[in-house]
């Protein structure tokens, strides 16, 4: 009788902080991804580290394990949550996830393919940045993401034993990078998953570790792949096909070139043509013509003092 291979367990590390609307989208998407893994023969468990009573309430509604942790430093929060997982779960794989993310339909099959090839640590490089307010999509393609990242248990235990931490305890930014570096020191680098299109959508709203402003220099691109939970949250969503900043973000983007100077507070076309005393420099006096009498000079000086000078040019307004 052939030996039946035992299913492997995936423990999912999920820190949260406020934003219940976006978090609910992320949880709903995670349930779909978990179902994909279950169909492939895996078991999964979700472990949430949050800071508020609302964080706890939402996690428990989805049946997730929850522990309340201080939010800062965020590196400490990430470490404490992983300590809880290591101490309580006999997992085979650690998968990292976030409270503002959606993995594409079919991601589980791609992850399993990496496991079947013998990869013991892998993750995504390209991913989408979604502005939750206007649904514009940008592309990030300059490095690894910690979302959807898989690491084998032996490496997790070795990092704890030799490094004493997985994430830098003191950090509030670049926390995922500290995990990569610690893993590389003890078990080598993570391998990039080969994907034709990005498999991750990162939703940017009011509160993010890495805010939307960090990515406004990225071009707006069409959304490829299936991210139904994000689409369903915006019934009027339409695919974007622009290559520049959206109208609502134009004030954050570098200004366009103009033939004339532009006031940051008011466009040139709406500025008054008359000057008022106290907010402009007086126009230069014309050169005195030869032979002009002293009385005419006094009259001209009196008129200038009364504010009846010529309007200043627009560059000085």
């Amino acid at each position: 009788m052939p030996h039946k291979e035992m299913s492997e367990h995936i423990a999912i590390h999920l820190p949260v902080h406020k934003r219940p609307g976006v978090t609910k989208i992320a949880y709903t998407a995670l349930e779909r991804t978990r179902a994909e893994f279950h169909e492939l023969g895996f078991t999964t468990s979700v472990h949430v580290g949050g800071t508020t009573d609302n964080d706890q309430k939402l996690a428990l509604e989805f049946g997730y394990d929850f522990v309340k942790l201080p939010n800062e430093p965020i590196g400490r929060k990430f470490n404490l949550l992983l300590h809880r997982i290591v101490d309580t779960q006999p997992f085979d794989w650690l998968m990292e996830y976030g409270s503002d993310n959606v993995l594409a339909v079919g991601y589980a099959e791609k992850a399993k393919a990496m496991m079947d090839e013998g990869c013991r640590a892998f993750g995504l490089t390209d991913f989408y940045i979604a502005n939750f307010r206007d649904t514009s999509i940008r592309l990030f393609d300059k490095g690894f993401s910690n979302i959807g990242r898989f690491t084998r248990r032996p490496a997790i235990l070795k990092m704890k034993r030799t490094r004493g931490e997985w994430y830098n305890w003191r950090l509030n930014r670049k926390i995922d990078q500290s995990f990569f570096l610690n893993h590389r020191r003890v078990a080598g680098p993570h391998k990039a998953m080969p994907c034709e299109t990005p498999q991750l959508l990162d939703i940017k709203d009011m509160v993010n570790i890495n805010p939307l402003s960090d990515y406004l220099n990225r071009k707006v691109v069409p959304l490829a792949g299936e991210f139904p939970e994000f689409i369903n949250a915006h019934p009027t969503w339409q695919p974007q096909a622009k290559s520049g900043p959206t109208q609502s973000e134009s004030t954050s983007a570098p200004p366009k070139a103009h033939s004339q100077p532009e006031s940051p507070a008011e466009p040139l076309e709406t500025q008054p043509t008359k000057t008022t005393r106290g907010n402009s420099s007086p126009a230069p006096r014309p050169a005195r013509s030869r032979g002009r009498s002293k009385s005419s000079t006094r009259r001209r000086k009196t008129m200038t003092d009364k504010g009846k000078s010529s309007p200043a040019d627009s560059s000085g307004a």
Side-chain angles (χ1 to χ4, degrees):
M1 184 176 180
H3 173 70
K4 184 179 180 180
E5 185 178 354
M6 294 180 62
S7 61
E8 291 193 311
H9 185 73
I10 302 170
I12 300 172
H13 177 277
L14 206 172
V16 303
H17 180 61
K18 299 182 177 181
R19 302 175 303 166
V22 174
T23 300
K24 190 170 185 178
I25 296 173
Y27 285 1
T28 305
L30 179 58
E31 288 302 289
R32 170 182 50 77
T33 300
R34 290 180 70 196
E36 293 180 4
F37 279 111
H38 296 166
E39 290 179 2
L40 295 173
F42 294 89
T43 59
T44 65
S45 59
V46 182
H47 308 273
V48 176
T51 57
T52 70
D53 292 340
N54 286 334
D55 292 342
Q56 181 177 19
K57 179 181 178 182
L58 186 57
L60 295 181
E61 286 178 4
F62 279 81
Y64 298 161
D65 173 49
F66 181 87
V67 58
K68 186 174 287 188
L69 300 168
N71 194 54
E72 293 186 0
I74 299 176
R76 179 176 181 267
K77 176 180 177 181
F78 276 46
N79 273 305
L80 291 176
L81 179 58
L82 188 44
H83 270 290
R84 177 183 176 88
I85 296 172
V86 170
D87 293 341
T88 62
Q89 293 294 313
F91 64 91
D92 301 285
W93 291 93
L94 176 76
M95 186 184 102
E96 295 164 87
Y97 194 71
S99 61
D100 53 5
N101 302 112
V102 178
L103 290 169
V105 171
Y107 179 73
E109 291 185 358
K110 293 178 173 60
K112 186 177 185 300
M114 297 293 288
M115 298 174 187
D116 292 343
E117 292 177 6
C119 294
R120 303 180 68 82
F122 56 89
L124 296 166
T125 52
D126 300 352
F127 59 92
Y128 293 117
I129 303 292
N131 184 339
F132 192 63
R133 293 187 173 188
D134 66 7
T135 70
S136 59
I137 307 295
R138 287 174 166 77
L139 177 64
F140 181 86
D141 56 358
K142 297 297 183 182
F144 273 92
S145 171
N146 65 315
I147 307 303
R149 178 169 59 189
F150 274 84
T151 308
R152 196 74 173 164
R153 180 184 179 90
I156 296 294
L157 298 180
K158 188 175 182 180
M159 291 166 71
K160 178 182 180 182
R161 185 172 62 253
T162 61
R163 305 295 301 176
E165 65 179 15
W166 299 279
Y167 309 89
N168 188 313
W169 288 81
R170 297 168 294 279
L171 294 181
N172 282 318
R173 297 286 300 273
K174 298 184 178 180
I175 304 161
D176 53 340
Q177 185 180 29
S178 68
F179 183 99
F180 272 118
L181 294 175
N182 280 333
H183 184 278
R184 178 178 294 176
R185 292 185 181 105
V186 303
H190 283 71
K191 185 174 181 179
M193 297 176 66
C195 302
E196 294 183 2
T197 58
Q199 297 294 298
L200 169 63
L201 183 71
D202 188 359
I203 304 171
K204 299 298 183 185
D205 193 18
M206 297 297 292
V207 181
N208 293 93
I209 296 176
N210 300 302
L212 177 65
S213 58
D214 289 356
Y215 303 95
L216 289 180
N217 61 333
R218 305 284 177 181
K219 65 179 181 179
V220 176
V221 298
L223 181 64
E226 297 182 64
F227 303 89
E229 295 77 17
F230 176 74
I231 303 302
N232 292 341
H234 296 279
T236 60
W237 185 87
Q238 295 294 327
Q240 299 280 340
K242 300 177 183 179
S243 59
T246 61
Q247 183 176 1
S248 64
E249 295 160 349
S250 60
T251 55
S252 301
K256 296 179 181 180
H258 292 273
S259 57
Q260 296 182 4
E262 184 176 4
S263 168
E266 188 174 16
L268 283 176
E269 58 269 23
T270 62
Q271 292 190 10
T273 55
K274 289 183 65 177
T275 60
T276 56
R277 186 178 302 177
N279 65 356
S280 64
S281 301
R285 298 177 181 177
R288 180 187 296 180
S289 59
R290 184 174 299 175
R292 179 172 294 179
S293 66
K294 291 183 180 180
S295 60
S296 64
T297 300
R298 284 195 298 271
R299 285 195 300 271
R300 180 173 53 80
K301 183 176 185 299
T302 302
M303 291 175 65
T304 303
D305 290 342
K306 291 182 179 180
K308 298 182 179 179
S309 60
S310 302
D313 62 62
S314 60
S315 63

